[in-house]
Amino acid sequence: MTANRRWWALGAISLATFMTYLDNNVVNVALPTIQRDLGLSISGLEWIVSG
């Protein structure tokens, strides 16, 4: 594997990890609104976070 391919792989993995963290943060910030609008209990919110 060439050094250039390794950098591309590292960049792709870093971007995927960043997108996962960003998605988790957006969901966590929106949880109170989701709970209020959908009338969910705590266990319902757990399903949202797990999904």
Side-chain angles (χ1 to χ4, degrees):
M1 187 180 232
T2 66
N4 193 25
R5 284 179 138 179
R6 289 181 182 169
W7 284 111
W8 278 107
L10 178 63
I13 291 170
S14 298
L15 180 62
T17 302
F18 171 74
M19 292 303 291
T20 301
Y21 287 135
L22 181 65
D23 181 54
N24 286 335
N25 285 332
V26 168
V27 169
N28 282 326
V29 168
L31 280 178
T33 303
I34 293 170
Q35 183 180 24
R36 185 179 58 247
D37 289 350
L38 298 178
L40 296 176
S41 64
I42 297 298
S43 62
L45 290 177
E46 289 175 1
W47 280 101
I48 298 291
V49 171
S50 295

